[in-house]
Amino acid sequence: MARVVKVFKTLRNHWKKSTVAVCVLSYGGHWLYGKHCDNILRREACLEAREFGRQQIRPQEQLRKATVILNPAACGGKANNLFEKNAAPILHLAGVEITVVKTDYEGQAKKLIDLMEQTDMLIVAGGDGTLQEVVTGMLRRADQEAFSLIPIGFIPLGSSNSLSPSLHLLSDNQVKHITSATLSILKGETVPLDVLQIKGDKDQPVFALMGLRWGAFRDVAAKISKYWYLGPLKTMAAHWFSTLREWPQVRSVSVSYLAPSVRPPDLIIEKYVRPNLLNRIIRRLKNYWSPPVIEPPPEEEPEPEWEEEHLSTHELMIKTHNNNPVERRINDSLMICAEPDNFTVQEFITVGSKKGEDPSLFTKHGINLEVGACHLQLPEDTGGFYNIDNEEYEAMPVEVTLLPRKLRFFISAERREQLLAQVQ
């Protein structure tokens, strides 16, 4: 008992050191517990992947080949370590023959895709920038019609992963997010995604999966990181300082667009079964005695008419419907969203703070146009930049065309069910 009293007296007399020690021990214990939970998640994912590796293959069948485009510079240089610890063991245990190709500089993924040979699946390990480069490289190839049939897996390793919520279950735990995304590739369930083709006057076209963003909110978002020292107030401060430099921050743009086209039904691929000899003879005799009537060719449809609209807005966004790729839609279309031009300073700061958390968020009073294709014509003295899938490009007049259901991406079955429940 005397020893216990002595311990309490020591803690009371050295309460500052005791407080620091308790804080350090608590933080260390929490950190170790987090590491233990991450190891459990990795072990469970590896056990599930091992079941895929134990499946027998036919004598003439070969192992599935996967080409991984890995950006080691993603996530502040941590992407290579994250892939080796969380994704690579799962792919190896599943019996997938993987070839890892690492990029060394920005834009190299486009060149690597142009030189890549045919593979069973393509896996992109990185963020929005890596994914956009891979998609652009695929659709610039001469054989892009055949190459775009390769299913694509996306392992979110970047600081921004805009497509990930459309394909994978949302999780605050990075290890769980990566392992579940890798397992969804092994399970083989895919979903078609639309692609935007964005073409300027001179350069080759750029392709995007989410959309194009332009305007005052985009310009402020690019400068938020400069106010890192303000902590959680940095987003609000960036918008407030922006209004002090310039107000109002209204942009003018001329938009020409076509009406959306009706979405054709999904093609059902049926295996052809050759009829027996008797049925073939009967069909030939029938065609000989009563030949089929040749129908006249259908009349050419008139060319669609372009409509033009002049917009004044704080921000313009052209986006796909890939935020919910399992939703059944009547039309093949893209969305033009424009914020109103009558924001007050307080409204500008409030809306900008919300867009800092979700850039695709738009107010109810904005303009929403469902179109098939569009042209953006900017005033001659307009500078600035576009954000195309969170990558910065110089603003210029562009033509935006929709490529409906162009690429197929692996999606987790759980996320598909969640998205279907949202539609219902």
Side-chain angles (χ1 to χ4, degrees):
M1 186 64 182
R3 183 175 296 179
V4 175
V5 172
K6 185 177 179 181
V7 170
F8 277 105
K9 284 183 178 181
T10 303
L11 294 175
R12 185 186 64 183
N13 294 334
H14 302 85
W15 64 271
K16 294 182 181 179
K17 296 180 180 178
S18 302
T19 303
V20 172
V22 169
C23 292
V24 171
L25 290 174
S26 299
Y27 177 80
H30 178 74
W31 181 80
L32 290 173
Y33 179 72
K35 291 294 182 181
H36 173 69
C37 292
D38 290 345
N39 288 331
I40 292 177
L41 290 173
R42 295 187 186 101
R43 187 182 301 114
E44 291 177 350
C46 288
L47 290 175
E48 187 174 352
R50 188 174 62 178
E51 297 302 319
F52 290 95
R54 288 178 172 176
Q55 295 177 2
Q56 295 183 354
I57 60 175
R58 298 174 183 176
Q60 304 297 328
E61 190 176 356
Q62 297 181 350
L63 292 176
R64 290 184 295 172
K65 296 181 180 180
T67 302
V68 180
I69 305 296
L70 172 62
N71 180 11
C75 195
K78 301 177 183 177
N80 186 64
N81 187 40
L82 290 172
F83 177 79
E84 293 295 337
K85 292 182 66 175
N86 303 302
I90 296 175
L91 296 173
H92 287 299
L93 285 170
V96 179
E97 182 181 343
I98 64 173
T99 302
V100 181
V101 182
K102 298 181 181 180
T103 59
D104 297 324
Y105 54 87
E106 185 178 354
Q108 188 184 19
K110 300 176 188 177
K111 300 178 181 179
L112 294 174
I113 291 296
D114 191 42
L115 301 173
M116 194 177 74
E117 297 179 355
Q118 195 75 16
T119 182
D120 295 328
M121 67 180 77
L122 180 62
I123 300 175
V124 182
D128 286 341
T130 311
L131 182 60
Q132 199 239 1
E133 287 186 16
V134 169
V135 170
T136 299
M138 289 182 66
L139 298 182
R140 283 183 182 176
R141 287 176 60 114
D143 59 343
Q144 59 90 12
E145 287 293 338
F147 207 78
S148 60
L149 299 177
I150 299 175
I152 305 172
F154 179 47
I155 301 178
L157 300 180
S159 54
S160 59
N161 308 288
S162 303
L163 186 64
S164 187
S166 303
L167 304 176
H168 312 132
L169 288 173
L170 300 178
S171 176
D172 295 331
N173 189 302
Q174 189 178 35
V175 174
K176 185 176 182 180
H177 200 181
I178 295 172
T179 54
S180 63
T182 310
L183 288 173
S184 68
I185 297 172
L186 302 179
K187 294 176 182 177
E189 189 169 348
T190 61
V191 64
L193 295 185
D194 298 338
V195 179
L196 292 183
Q197 177 180 287
I198 304 169
K199 188 175 182 180
D201 296 334
K202 300 178 182 179
D203 299 333
Q204 287 184 299
V206 175
F207 298 88
L209 292 168
M210 300 307 295
L212 177 149
R213 185 184 181 194
W214 173 75
F217 289 114
R218 189 227 75 88
D219 295 341
V220 177
K223 301 176 182 177
I224 291 177
S225 59
K226 295 182 179 179
Y227 303 96
W228 59 269
Y229 51 86
L230 295 177
L233 300 177
K234 61 183 180 181
T235 303
M236 187 177 297
H239 287 84
W240 182 57
F241 290 142
S242 175
T243 59
L244 295 179
R245 288 190 295 267
E246 178 189 358
W247 188 257
Q249 300 185 24
V250 178
R251 308 288 193 268
S252 298
V253 61
S254 176
V255 182
S256 303
Y257 58 90
L258 291 173
S261 58
V262 178
R263 188 184 184 104
D266 295 332
L267 296 176
I268 301 176
I269 301 175
E270 298 181 356
K271 188 176 180 181
Y272 175 76
V273 179
R274 189 182 185 187
N276 56 38
L277 179 61
L278 180 60
N279 288 335
R280 297 201 304 271
I281 294 174
I282 294 174
R283 185 176 60 185
R284 290 188 179 185
L285 291 174
K286 183 178 179 181
N287 291 337
Y288 177 78
W289 293 108
S290 58
V293 179
I294 301 177
E295 298 181 358
E299 298 181 0
E300 295 184 1
E301 297 182 359
E303 294 185 1
E305 296 183 359
W306 288 85
E307 299 184 31
E308 187 173 0
E309 189 163 342
H310 298 277
L311 301 177
S312 178
T313 178
H314 280 283
E315 181 170 84
L316 179 78
M317 187 169 185
I318 303 173
K319 59 182 181 178
T320 63
H321 295 277
N322 289 340
N323 57 335
N324 190 345
V326 301
E327 181 181 4
R328 295 289 180 181
R329 302 194 304 274
I330 300 175
N331 297 324
D332 279 328
S333 62
L334 51 90
M335 295 297 299
I336 300 177
C337 304
E339 293 284 13
D341 60 352
N342 56 354
F343 281 144
T344 64
V345 172
Q346 181 61 39
E347 289 173 339
F348 182 83
I349 296 174
T350 303
V351 173
S353 300
K354 294 179 180 179
K355 284 178 176 288
E357 300 176 359
D358 183 7
S360 62
L361 179 68
F362 269 77
T363 56
K364 297 180 181 179
H365 304 290
I367 298 173
N368 291 281
L369 299 174
E370 186 178 6
V371 303
C374 67
H375 291 165
L376 288 187
Q377 190 67 38
L378 307 180
E380 293 182 359
D381 57 344
T382 302
F385 296 90
Y386 293 136
N387 261 21
I388 300 178
D389 279 3
N390 286 327
E391 289 297 296
E392 198 171 82
Y393 291 84
E394 183 181 356
M396 64 180 69
V398 292
E399 176 185 354
V400 184
T401 308
L402 181 71
L403 306 178
R405 294 176 284 183
K406 185 64 176 177
L407 300 176
R408 298 196 69 87
F409 276 75
F410 291 103
I411 184 174
S412 68
E414 296 81 6
R415 185 54 180 161
R416 179 191 285 272
E417 292 177 1
Q418 284 186 354
L419 294 173
L420 287 174
Q422 292 178 8
V423 176
Q424 297 173 356

